[in-house]
């Protein structure tokens, strides 16, 4: 099957599965006695979700084709060569912060994970009061397999960002109202966690602060000498730190190298021209590095005098990537186009492939023990977007006022390590889930799936599928076990579509786990 047509051919099957999912979910809602669950509200909610998810699946299928293109593949190779390694990147679930927008990086060039505030759970204080990684946590498992090759330099970029609602909320809960909305506290926390990563896992942490208002950022704010010199990072403090050469402001770098950037300028468009933008960005960066890398590297080395060359190279490239990306998005200084919250839905996913022109989403890694809390926060912000008029009902089923309370779409994306061209997907798509649609919590999936497809699929792929489905089921069960989240599900305030995607990110099959 041709890779450029596979997702669209597969959409026909997905749409049929979606019809079944909507029907099964409607029946569940009608069986729940809730004052808000009237016949009219349920049917209107299901019509909205059905239309929304059809559009979402089509948009994401289109992106998966772009990510498999020769242009993006070549861009990935160029990016990793320029950086010297493939870093991990931890950033906020905010749709304004994908690595493509911040650094111009194609998705496979970095291992990106998104969580509220970019805050990874899994750290704890031991009996002596020392911060450490909980060895039984998902974090520990991810860290031990976070990079493709154990001999590569290992880097973890910890991204803070200005105006982070999640961090500011935590500060206010603690009785504080800092002028920088918790930016200092966020950087300090990530810096302490970074030290643990270095001491216990040999991973070099790199702190970076992204300024949502400008599209540029700061390198050096997480250095101990900077953190010890102040207790907040307001605008005036940042100016003084830059003036004293204590930090690097990438906006200043863009001005310094404006003539070089101008020679390599092109009209970047990550939403509708993703693959060409990815390749042209990296080709431009090769030319820029030829002109400015030695000088830029010296400036980075001045801040990190005792760090090894691979780390200096990585930090230098991240500075240049962000500076050029910020310049491309705002060459005339009129403002960063990615400043507003426009999230319409929530995606649970360990990877993120934004930005998207249609159906922008909060992207949240489904970490054990935290999915219910994350879901509650994300659906609240989606409603805030509706309330502010930044997000409109695509179906015209609701008035603006009624739309605020309408169902928030959630999509649980689970990647199965099987390529989209593999015949195993035909078997997986043939599974009839209706038998366990309402009892999935109590079924032995290994036995049940073995009866469905076990004799027709290789043992390795069968184990991979069962492992992914068990994790999906556990996280969905975690959502249902939480009283607040269960109430949101029962009243149709949120609706979750479980979706399997291939290793090349093509949507493949809807799992009929009705929540």
């Amino acid at each position: 099957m041709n890779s450029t047509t596979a997702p669209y051919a597969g959409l026909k099957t997905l749409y049929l599965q979606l019809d079944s999912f909507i029907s099964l979910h409607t029946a569940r809602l009608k069986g729940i006695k809730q004052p808000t669950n009237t016949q009219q509200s349920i049917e209107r909610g299901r019509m909205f979700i059905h239309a929304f998810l059809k559009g979402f699946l089509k948009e994401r299928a289109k992106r998966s084709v772009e990510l498999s293109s020769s242009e993006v593949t070549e861009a990935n190779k160029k990016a990793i060569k320029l950086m010297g390694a493939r870093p991990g990147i931890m950033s906020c679930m905010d749709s304004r912060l994908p690595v493509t927008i911040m650094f111009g990086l194609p998705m496979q060039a970095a291992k990106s994970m998104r969580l509220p505030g970019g805050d990874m759970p899994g750290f704890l204080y031991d009996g002596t009061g020392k911060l450490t990684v909980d060895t039984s946590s998902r974090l520990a498992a991810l860290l031990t397999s976070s990079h493709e090759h154990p001999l590569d330099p290992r880097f973890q970029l910890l991204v803070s960002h200005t105006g982070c609602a999640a961090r500011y909320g935590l500060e206010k809960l603690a009785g504080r109202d800092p002028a920088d909305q918790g930016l200092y506290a966020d950087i300090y926390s990530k810096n302490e966690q970074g030290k643990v990563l270095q001491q216990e896992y040999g991973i070099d942490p790199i702190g970076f602060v992204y300024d949502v208002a400008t599209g540029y950022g700061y390198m050096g704010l997480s250095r101990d000498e900077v953190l010890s010199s102040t207790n907040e990072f307001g605008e005036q403090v940042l100016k003084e730190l830059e003036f004293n050469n204590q930090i690097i402001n990438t906006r200043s770098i863009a001005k310094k190298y404006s003539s070089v950037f101008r020679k390599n300028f092109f009209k970047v468009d990550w939403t509708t021209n993703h693959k060409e933008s990815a390749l042209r960005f990296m080709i431009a960066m090769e030319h820029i590095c030829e002109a400015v890398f030695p000088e830029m590297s010296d400036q980075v080395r001045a801040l990190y005098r005792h760090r090894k060359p691979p780390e200096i190279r990585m930090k230098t490239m991240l500075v240049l990537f962000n500076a050029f990306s910020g310049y491309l998005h705002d060459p005339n200084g009129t403002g960063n186009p990615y400043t507003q919250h426009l999230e319409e839905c929530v995606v649970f996913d360990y990877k993120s492939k934004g930005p998207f022109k249609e159906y922008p989403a909060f992207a949240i890694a489904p970490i054990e023990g935290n999915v219910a809390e994350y879901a509650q926060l994300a659906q609240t912000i989606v409603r805030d977007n509706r309330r502010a008029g930044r997000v409109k009902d695509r179906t015209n089923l609701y008035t603006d006022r009624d739309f605020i309370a309408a169902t928030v779409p959630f999509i649980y994306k689970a990647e199965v390590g099987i390529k989209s061209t593999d015949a195993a997907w035909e078997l997986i798509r043939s599974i009839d889930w209706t038998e366990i649609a309402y009892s999935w919590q109590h079924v032995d999936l290994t036995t049940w799936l073995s009866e469905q497809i076990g004799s027709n699929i290789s043992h390795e792929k069968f184990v991979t599928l069962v492992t992914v489905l068990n994790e999906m089921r556990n996280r969905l069960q975690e959502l249902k076990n939480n009283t607040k989240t269960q109430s949101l599900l029962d009243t149709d305030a949120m609706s979750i579509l479980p979706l399997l995607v291939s290793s090349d990110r093509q949507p493949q099959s809807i799992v009929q786990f009705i929540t």
Side-chain angles (χ1 to χ4, degrees), residues 156-363:
Q156 183 68 44
L157 184 60
L158 305 174
V159 180
S160 300
H161 71 94
T162 58
C164 179
R167 174 57 67 180
Y168 190 35
L170 290 173
E171 290 298 295
K172 295 186 80 170
L173 283 174
R176 298 184 290 268
D177 191 10
D180 64 359
Q181 296 186 313
L183 180 60
Y184 177 93
D186 190 71
I187 296 170
Y188 183 89
S189 174
K190 286 180 170 61
N191 187 49
E192 293 301 298
Q193 293 174 355
K195 292 176 181 177
V196 174
L197 298 183
Q198 193 169 47
Q199 293 164 3
E200 298 184 3
Y201 291 88
I203 294 175
D204 289 322
I206 298 176
F208 188 86
V209 176
Y210 180 70
D211 186 346
V212 176
T214 66
Y216 293 101
Y218 299 92
M219 179 75 76
L221 285 171
S222 60
R223 296 191 306 134
D224 286 340
E225 49 265 61
V226 172
L227 288 168
S228 64
S229 68
T230 184
N231 59 7
E232 60 94 14
F233 285 133
E235 185 176 345
Q236 187 57 39
V237 173
L238 293 174
K239 287 180 179 179
E240 292 174 1
L241 288 168
E242 183 185 0
F243 180 79
N244 293 321
N245 297 315
Q246 292 298 302
I247 61 173
I248 295 172
N249 180 350
T250 65
R251 190 174 195 175
S252 298
I253 299 303
K255 291 178 181 178
K256 180 180 179 180
Y257 298 130
S258 59
S259 61
V260 180
F261 283 10
R262 193 159 45 246
K263 289 179 182 177
N264 291 279
F265 175 81
F266 68 96
K267 189 174 181 179
V268 66
D269 185 350
W270 293 111
T271 58
T272 61
N273 199 10
H274 191 91
K275 59 183 182 180
E276 285 83 3
S277 293
L279 184 55
R280 291 190 67 179
F281 188 96
M282 286 304 153
I283 291 174
M285 285 307 309
E286 289 177 330
H287 297 321
I288 290 169
C289 284
E290 289 176 3
V292 309
F293 182 86
E295 184 179 19
M296 189 69 251
S297 182
D298 287 343
Q299 188 173 346
V300 171
R301 190 177 295 106
L303 293 184
Y304 302 95
R305 296 185 183 280
H306 304 295
R307 307 310 301 168
K308 295 179 180 179
E311 182 178 336
I312 297 300
R313 180 179 188 84
M314 178 64 72
K315 288 177 174 174
T316 301
M317 288 312 308
L318 290 169
V319 166
L320 289 173
F321 282 152
N322 175 253
F324 187 54
S325 181
Y327 173 80
L328 290 182
H329 289 138
D330 184 23
N332 300 316
T334 56
N336 176 24
Y338 296 102
T339 58
Q340 284 197 326
H341 277 293
L342 299 173
E343 297 87 358
E344 299 181 45
C345 59
V346 185
V347 177
F348 282 116
D349 192 1
Y350 281 109
K351 297 181 180 179
S352 172
K353 306 299 178 186
F356 297 97
K357 183 178 181 179
E358 304 288 339
Y359 309 96
F362 284 114

Side-chain angles (χ1 to χ4, degrees), residues 126-146:
D126 63 17
T128 66
K130 177 185 175 183
L131 186 67
T132 186
V133 172
D134 179 358
T135 56
S136 65
S137 68
R138 175 71 177 178
L139 172 60
L142 291 170
L143 289 172
T144 55
S145 60
S146 63

